Amino acid sequence: MFEFLESLGHSSRSSFAKLGRATFFLIHTLAGIVEVLPRPNLLMKQLYSVGVLSFLIIAISGLFVGMVLGLQGFYILSDFGAEESLGLMVAASLVRELGPVVSALLFAGRAGSALTAEIGLMKATEQLSGMEMMAVNPINRIITPRFMAGLISTPLLATIFSSIGVIGGQMVGVGMLGVDDGAFWSQMQAGIDFNEDIINGIIKSVVFGFVVSWIALFEGYDAIPTSEGVSRATTRTVVNSAFSILGLDFILTALMFGDI
Amino acid sequence: MPNSASAHNHIVTVKNLSFSRGTRKIFDDISLDIERGKITAIMGPSGTGKTTLLKLIGGQLYPEAGQIRVDGQNVHRLKTKELYNLRKRIGMLFQSGALLTDMNVYDNVAFPLREHTHLPETMIRTLVLMKLHAVGLRGARHLMPNELSGGMARRVALARAIALDPMMIMYDEPFTGQDPISMGALVHLIKSLNNTLGLTSIIVSHDVQETAAIADYIYVLSEGKIVGQGTPQQLAQSDSAWVQQFMNGDADGPVHFHYPAIDYLDDLLSTK
């Protein structure tokens, strides 16, 4: 009994300690933004490896998700004779939910895991420590540019995901299933509100990008500097990011669209 | 002590330093001085916290008790900015080299110059080539760190460590895992850099022969204490059995070959 309480106390203490470290890490990372802004090259390099290199997986996934939405939406809507609303349905689901959520999940798997592994290995090979001894702050030089790149990339990637998804839905709905092209687009135009839908979707993906980049970079920075430690940190990044994205999505949706 | 000269001659003074990892005491109230312009070696078996000592001197770790002064400044009382200014004057050579793996040799050596100075690229080029020439790797400037052998990586790291013309270099196990030729090259480099650039060198090592060949003064650490100190000649004639075992590399002595265990015969015959 006492052993159980002891281990409970120990594990909760260590998770609070970790939360504290993560918070300090975030504060230092954010404070580093002033240092990175005058050096756009650092950011550009990371925007390429974090953002541009994630483009392909986002584009292809967006296309398929849109096509599936076109198929499924058509079968349900046609029961009510409302297949003209297909465009609205596809666009609303993408812009509000699937775009931000799925692109953030893919981003966590593609870029987040890579960031954790990279930072963890830099720690294991003493590169971060070496930088500190060269009087270069590794947070400013390494972490903050990556964090900013993640924050900038995710909303852009989510937007690309949704746009390509709409095209996928149109290809299936209009091209294969014979929905009227004019109705597809005009229903979408009439039903999607810029502030209500598009801006809210972008806010969601900014939040997800913030959380995923934070988790990925912190897990790498906090990893035990061995191969096993880095591999476990990488796993934690993907798992914790997925939980955070889905949990936060519910909260954000309730705040934005629910009348709670 | 190396000599009874005034404190001005000591670039590093460690006073009553204690440090623990978990429940294990790494340093138990040790004091030592590093004399300016000399090569001082800190030796001891693996796991005696020699690297930890360098990290304490560099301000990356905090001691539990005692103080460390580098060039008159108390390292652990400095503000971050002052500490970083001090570190610009200290070079450190990590055991792994710690080269940045996403840059080639040239950019690695240029890294501290680009981070800390506003020199034009042409000037940086001249400086980088000079430093690389000093370690004999001017021709390897386009290679990536993963294309270098262990000895070459350490020489590149050395070129990087002297890029900002520091007052002191700390070497963490510079000879470990080197073939005889790169070992010889490193021994020669450490000695000649120390003399030509007017540096102070601290070498942490357990390679007795190589270190004793170039060190002016040696501290021998074991189990958190300084068990011997002196010039290489003095240590070779030390009457401490422990120091003798360490310097001569005897398998058995005060440090036993066998990890503590129950009696061998009993162990073999027992059923558990």
Side-chain angles (χ1 to χ4, degrees):
Chain A
M1 182 63 194
F2 281 113
E3 268 173 29
F4 170 72
L5 284 176
E6 204 180 300
S7 73
L8 191 73
H10 184 75
S11 67
S12 55
R13 218 184 79 169
S14 68
S15 41
F16 275 113
K18 186 165 181 180
L19 197 63
R21 288 200 302 279
T23 309
F24 274 113
F25 176 82
L26 180 65
I27 292 169
H28 288 144
T29 305
L30 294 176
I33 292 179
V34 249
E35 306 282 330
V36 176
L37 285 177
R39 300 178 66 183
N41 296 359
L42 290 180
L43 181 59
M44 290 300 161
K45 204 174 160 196
Q46 296 312 320
L47 275 174
Y48 176 77
S49 67
V50 168
V52 177
L53 293 182
S54 304
F55 173 79
L56 197 63
I57 183 176
I58 294 284
I60 293 174
S61 312
L63 184 69
F64 281 118
V65 168
M67 284 162 73
V68 170
L69 276 177
L71 276 176
Q72 295 281 15
F74 180 83
Y75 289 123
I76 293 170
L77 290 173
S78 61
D79 282 351
F80 306 99
E83 39 302 1
E84 274 83 23
S85 302
L86 184 65
L88 173 60
M89 195 223 112
V90 169
S93 4
L94 279 168
V95 169
R96 287 182 178 188
E97 290 297 334
L98 291 170
V101 173
V102 178
S103 63
L105 289 172
L106 291 169
F107 181 79
R110 162 67 182 73
S113 57
L115 285 176
T116 305
E118 186 188 16
I119 305 291
L121 283 172
M122 286 182 93
K123 187 180 179 189
T125 52
E126 295 182 309
Q127 292 184 53
L128 297 181
S129 190
M131 233 177 238
E132 261 178 33
M133 283 306 298
M134 284 188 280
V136 175
N137 186 337
I139 299 267
N140 295 348
R141 184 66 175 64
I142 299 291
I143 305 290
T144 305
R146 286 165 172 77
F147 180 80
M148 289 168 74
L151 200 58
I152 296 170
S153 308
T154 31
L156 294 174
L157 291 170
T159 312
I160 292 167
F161 186 95
S162 301
S163 318
I164 294 183
V166 168
I167 294 169
Q170 193 256 358
M171 273 161 52
V172 171
V174 177
M176 286 164 57
L177 302 171
V179 175
D180 181 62
D181 203 14
F184 185 92
W185 293 110
S186 63
Q187 287 261 6
M188 191 190 308
Q189 198 179 8
I192 299 288
D193 183 72
F194 183 73
N195 291 326
E196 178 82 353
D197 298 310
I198 295 178
I199 295 291
N200 274 342
I202 289 175
I203 291 174
K204 274 187 179 181
S205 62
V206 170
V207 173
F208 298 155
F210 185 96
V211 173
V212 171
S213 310
W214 178 20
I215 291 175
L217 292 167
F218 175 70
E219 286 293 353
Y221 196 75
D222 201 51
I224 299 163
T226 59
S227 28
E228 197 206 355
V230 174
S231 105
R232 285 170 63 169
T234 312
T235 309
R236 274 201 304 273
T237 292
V238 177
V239 172
N240 292 351
S241 297
F243 280 146
S244 313
I245 291 165
L246 297 170
L248 280 171
D249 183 49
F250 174 73
I251 295 170
L252 288 171
T253 307
L255 289 174
M256 288 168 173
F257 303 103
D259 293 320
I260 301 171
Chain B
M1 298 298 108
N3 56 37
S4 53
S6 63
H8 305 296
N9 256 339
H10 296 151
I11 194 161
V12 179
T13 37
V14 176
K15 255 198 205 127
N16 308 110
L17 175 77
S18 294
F19 184 81
S20 310
R21 275 244 158 86
T23 53
R24 206 166 81 84
K25 252 197 151 44
I26 309 263
F27 298 121
D28 186 8
D29 196 24
I30 65 164
S31 299
L32 53 86
D33 298 301
I34 312 282
E35 207 181 333
R36 203 182 285 272
K38 295 284 166 65
I39 300 178
T40 305
I42 294 161
M43 309 188 73
S46 309
T48 41
K50 302 187 296 293
T51 306
T52 310
L53 183 62
L54 292 188
K55 290 198 166 173
L56 283 161
I57 294 175
Q60 286 187 308
L61 295 171
Y62 280 81
E64 266 153 36
Q67 55 159 296
I68 297 175
R69 288 183 167 276
V70 177
D71 203 25
Q73 294 172 289
N74 186 336
V75 176
H76 299 97
R77 287 281 165 78
L78 293 177
K79 297 198 175 69
T80 312
K81 208 173 168 199
E82 294 165 338
L83 179 63
Y84 272 39
N85 277 330
L86 177 66
R87 281 183 187 165
K88 283 180 204 169
R89 301 195 286 138
I90 302 175
M92 174 142 176
L93 186 73
F94 284 83
Q95 196 173 344
S96 58
L99 295 175
L100 302 169
T101 41
D102 59 342
M103 299 177 186
N104 65 17
V105 166
Y106 180 93
D107 290 328
N108 259 292
V109 179
F111 181 81
L113 294 166
R114 287 181 180 146
E115 290 290 322
H116 294 308
T117 68
H118 298 286
L119 296 174
E121 257 329 286
T122 47
M123 178 83 99
I124 286 182
R125 182 173 185 277
T126 312
L127 284 169
V128 170
L129 293 185
M130 279 166 65
K131 306 296 174 190
L132 280 174
H133 188 76
V135 298
L137 291 176
R138 192 163 43 86
R141 75 187 93 152
H142 299 301
L143 297 180
M144 295 301 283
N146 58 5
E147 297 170 298
L148 301 173
S149 72
M152 282 162 83
R154 235 166 269 188
R155 277 150 72 188
V156 173
L158 186 51
R160 186 178 67 175
I162 57 171
L164 289 172
D165 291 321
M167 57 173 182
M168 172 170 106
I169 300 194
M170 304 195 283
Y171 298 91
D172 186 6
E173 299 284 5
F175 308 121
T176 305
Q178 300 293 316
D179 63 71
I181 299 175
S182 6
M183 186 109 92
L186 278 166
V187 170
H188 170 74
L189 261 177
I190 293 173
K191 181 83 179 164
S192 65
L193 284 178
N194 194 77
N195 296 345
T196 52
L197 301 181
L199 294 166
T200 303
S201 306
I202 305 178
I203 304 176
V204 146
S205 178
H206 48 57
D207 293 288
V208 175
Q209 300 308 325
E210 291 71 24
T211 313
I214 51 169
D216 295 304
Y217 201 81
I218 298 178
Y219 287 95
V220 184
L221 289 179
S222 175
E223 293 177 358
K225 296 274 189 196
I226 294 175
V227 293
Q229 56 175 295
T231 60
Q233 294 76 20
Q234 286 169 346
L235 277 184
Q237 282 145 27
S238 165
D239 45 14
S240 149
W242 197 96
V243 173
Q244 282 298 339
Q245 185 191 357
F246 182 76
M247 297 299 282
N248 298 328
D250 301 331
D252 217 343
V255 180
H256 294 294
F257 173 70
H258 290 290
Y259 195 84
I262 59 168
D263 185 73
Y264 187 36
L265 197 60
D266 291 350
D267 211 356
L268 288 178
L269 295 176
S270 76
T271 46
K272 279 182 208 163

